[in-house]
Structure formats: C-alpha cells, structure tokens
Amino acid sequence: MLLPPRRPPPLRASRRRRLPLWALACALLAGGGAQAAEKVTLQLKWRHQFQFAGYYAAQEQGYYRAAGLDVTLREAVPGSDPVHSVLDGAAQYGVGGSDLLLKRGAGQPLVVLAPIFQHSATALAVRRLDDGSPRRQWAGSRMMIASGDDEIRAYFRARGINLGEVRQVTHSYNFDDLIGGKVDAMTVYLNEAPYVLDRSHIGYDLIAPRQAGIDFYGDNLYTTESELREHPRRVQALRAATLRGWAYAMAHQDEIADLIRARYPDSHSREQLLYEAQHMTALLAQNVTELGHSDPQRWRAIAAAYTTLGMLPADFSLDGFLYQPPRDPALPGYAAALAALLLAGAALWRARRLGRRLAAAEAGLLAASAQAEAAADAAPGAW
C-alpha cells in the first residue's frame, strides 16, 4: 500500500540569528526615547501675537518635542533690546530684524538661521493734516522711529529727506499717541496698524520702504556662533521644527488664533489675530519661495543700504553671518528611524529566508512523491 510521504517538521526561524537584529533595534529605540528633551529658550522680539504663530504651532503640534527639544518662548519687554537676552545667554535663540547685520558689524557673534518674513512688515504711519490732506513737509514734524527700524531711515535717505529736520521722539509703541496727535508719524507693522487705525477714524497714510526699492527681510530666526559651534544638531533641529510650525500655522490660522487666545488671554482679540494672519501671508511669500529661504544677494543689498547710511563699512563681509543647513538630514530621533530601517530589513530577510526554505521543502516533497510513485510502479501487481 502506498503511504503518503512524511511531512517535514515545521520551519522555525533561527533564534540565534534573529536576536542580534532585534536586540540592536530595541536598544536604538530605547536610547532615542529615553533621552531627555533639551531645554532651550527662544526670545521673541515683541509681545505674544500672531506675528509669532509658527513658534506656538511648533510647540502645540509637538514638533519641538519630536526634535528632542523643550522650547520656552519669552516675550520681549518694551523698551529693551531682546538681542541682549541671546548675547547674554538667557536665551539661545531669538527673533530679530535685518538690523542683526548692524550688530554683526559691531562684532556681536550673531548668525541668521532663517528669515521668516521674506519682506519686512515695518512701515511708517503718518497722521494726515487737520484738513485731511497728506503731509508733504517733514521739517519740524514729530516722529517715533524704533531703534531697529533703520529701513525707514534708509527710505528717507533714498527720498532725499533730511531726518535732522525732524523732531524724533522716543517710541512708546502706543497707537494712541498717533491717534491723539501727540506725534505726527510713527513706525508700525503693516499687518497690525491698519486694523487699529481704521477703527480710530483718523486720516492717515502708510509709507513702506519697499516703495523706494528698499526690501529688507523681517523677523529672522537667529542664534549665536557659540550655540552653532557647540550644538550644531540642536540648531538644525530647532530650525527645521520652527519652519514646520510656520507651515502649519499659516495653513490653520483659525486654530492658531484660538490657541493664542487660550494661552495668552491678554493678547489681541481673535478678530485682530486673524487680521494679522491674513496680512502676513504676503510677507511670508510662500507662493514664491520656500519658508526660511535666505538669499545672500538680498543680504548684500541690505548691507549696501546700511553702508549708504554710514552704518556699515563698504567692505562688510557676510562670512559666518548666514547659516548653511547641512545636507545630512539626521536630527535628534535618528536612532528611531535607523531602528525602523533595521526592523524592516530584518523582516525582509526573514521573509526571503522563509521563502527559500519553503521552496526547498516543496522540492523535497515533490522528490519524495516521485520516488513513492516509482516504487509503487515497480511493486508486484502494479498496473
């Protein structure tokens, strides 16, 4: 009687070969997850508002945490220079205007990581005369120009207007001084001032330096040379997470406005925050270039504008001032990514090995069956 061939024993993957891959993957995963987030502080250039939406989004969406960072956002104190917090080590990162060039020229070791606004929001709000006509004469007018608003000074120089004839008043950052006629003009932000001034019912004009071809960057993310030298991966991680936060913030403006109101109840109204958001879209210019794009040629043009004001030497070099992101995309958390690759590779190796053994087993079964059939044919009485 023909007996069926014996089934081969169940196939088992070799524990001795499998263990090293799994052990290494788990060790890498454990190492990446157990590492405590690094605490850093980011100094804002003004009080909490939609102007800093991308930083709030990077916090709320966990982008900083995923990059291994615990980021504290510190708002500025009116009348102080926020850059000093970064230079003094109270903060490792900051948000500043294009006047960072001037501080670099003065020997301060600042490095721009990414311009957030491709176009500066700085403008000059000018109160119209009592008869409603635009102001034409500047001599004797009272004007508030903030310390970092040098693009306004460059604008006046380009227009041939002598600021020496203007009565410069210490900036109060209070729209009521312009609305009430205490001053005739003050530097403002384009994404904020119209919302306030339109509701005051005064006549006013806005002068933007871009009208004279002076196109500065605005709200640059920056750090110091020492931070970049001692923590290059941290710098790269914070920059990438911040830009990701900005992309999210501009795509979810209502959500971020609600977040700001919930976190900072004393900030602007929801209506004003959304107004700011809508008017920031053109400043970020995402439809033209990628977030954080930094053009050395534009920086040279900005430096040249400062040179014409006598604020920078003609031979000023940008060397070391502009951050160059490394091509290696590795960031904190790379161990988890590597572990995932190892796990995938191990699974593929096991699948292929199992396939080979199944093929060998099938070949063995076919050979055994052929032998059994041949034996049956040769047995007495076979037909």
Side-chain angles (χ1 to χ4, degrees):
M1 183 175 70
L2 179 61
L3 296 175
R6 269 178 36 183
R7 297 178 63 184
L11 300 177
R12 294 181 181 178
S14 170
R15 294 177 65 87
R16 185 170 54 187
R17 292 198 173 204
R18 183 175 56 191
L19 181 59
L21 285 172
W22 279 95
L24 178 57
C26 291
L28 287 171
L29 285 170
Q35 186 178 7
E38 298 181 65
K39 293 182 179 295
V40 296
T41 298
L42 194 154
Q43 176 67 60
L44 305 178
K45 63 182 295 189
W46 193 233
R47 292 171 173 168
H48 294 298
Q49 54 192 37
F50 207 93
Q51 180 182 348
F52 310 112
Y55 304 102
Y56 309 135
Q59 277 186 328
E60 184 69 13
Q61 296 303 309
Y63 300 153
Y64 287 139
R65 178 68 63 175
L69 301 173
D70 181 1
V71 179
T72 297
L73 302 177
R74 175 187 292 174
E75 68 177 354
V77 176
S80 65
D81 186 352
V83 178
H84 288 162
S85 295
V86 180
L87 291 172
D88 295 342
Q92 291 73 41
Y93 302 89
V95 180
S98 291
D99 61 314
L100 293 170
L101 260 177
L102 298 179
K103 299 181 186 302
R104 176 80 183 193
Q108 296 173 350
L110 300 173
V111 180
V112 168
L113 301 178
I116 302 302
F117 293 175
Q118 291 294 314
H119 307 291
S120 173
T122 299
L124 188 72
V126 184
R127 199 179 194 282
R128 290 199 168 194
L129 301 176
D130 292 339
D131 61 3
S133 61
R135 181 172 297 276
R136 303 293 185 188
Q137 301 296 323
W138 293 99
S141 62
R142 300 155 299 171
M143 188 180 301
M144 290 179 174
I145 303 179
S147 59
D149 295 338
D150 298 299
E151 56 209 282
I152 296 296
R153 295 182 175 86
Y155 169 85
F156 279 113
R157 185 180 181 90
R159 294 299 194 201
I161 300 171
N162 183 7
L163 277 177
E165 299 176 351
V166 173
R167 292 170 53 193
Q168 294 196 41
V169 182
T170 301
H171 211 305
S172 65
Y173 305 97
N174 188 340
F175 284 108
D176 289 341
D177 289 337
L178 182 68
I179 294 170
K182 183 177 179 179
V183 295
D184 304 305
M186 65 187 300
T187 53
V188 297
Y189 256 36
L190 287 170
N191 56 304
E192 177 187 20
Y195 180 88
V196 178
L197 297 178
D198 287 347
R199 286 157 178 75
S200 70
H201 306 295
I202 66 166
Y204 72 96
D205 296 292
L206 286 176
I207 296 176
R210 290 174 66 188
Q211 296 169 0
I214 300 168
D215 192 6
F216 282 19
Y217 284 116
D219 282 24
N220 302 278
L221 175 65
Y222 70 94
T223 188
T224 60
E225 288 182 351
S226 61
E227 173 71 9
L228 180 57
R229 180 176 58 255
E230 297 168 13
H231 305 282
R233 286 191 180 277
R234 187 163 78 184
V235 169
Q236 186 184 358
L238 183 128
R239 180 183 185 275
T242 295
L243 295 180
R244 189 179 175 192
W246 271 106
Y248 186 93
M250 297 310 293
H252 303 82
Q253 297 177 11
D254 290 85
E255 177 185 335
I256 301 304
D258 291 336
L259 171 65
I260 296 172
R261 288 291 302 154
R263 280 194 187 179
Y264 313 109
D266 294 335
S267 62
H268 295 160
S269 68
R270 187 177 191 275
E271 181 184 14
Q272 182 170 348
L273 290 172
L274 289 175
Y275 178 94
E276 294 171 6
Q278 294 164 6
H279 288 75
M280 279 168 49
T281 301
L283 301 177
L284 271 73
Q286 290 175 269
N287 61 328
V288 177
T289 187
E290 63 181 352
L291 277 167
H293 177 68
S294 186
D295 184 357
Q297 286 297 109
R298 280 192 65 192
W299 280 109
R300 291 189 186 97
I302 295 170
Y306 282 132
T307 298
T308 62
L309 291 171
M311 304 174 78
L312 271 182
D315 58 350
F316 177 78
S317 174
L318 294 177
D319 291 347
F321 178 66
L322 303 179
Y323 174 69
Q324 298 295 327
R327 294 185 178 182
D328 177 10
L331 294 172
Y334 65 92
L338 178 58
L341 290 174
L342 285 172
L343 291 174
L348 180 60
W349 174 81
R350 289 197 304 275
R352 288 182 174 177
R353 188 169 183 271
L354 180 60
R356 288 195 297 268
R357 295 193 64 179
L358 287 174
E362 183 180 0
L365 288 174
L366 291 174
S369 178
Q371 290 176 359
E373 290 178 5
D377 290 341
W383 54 270

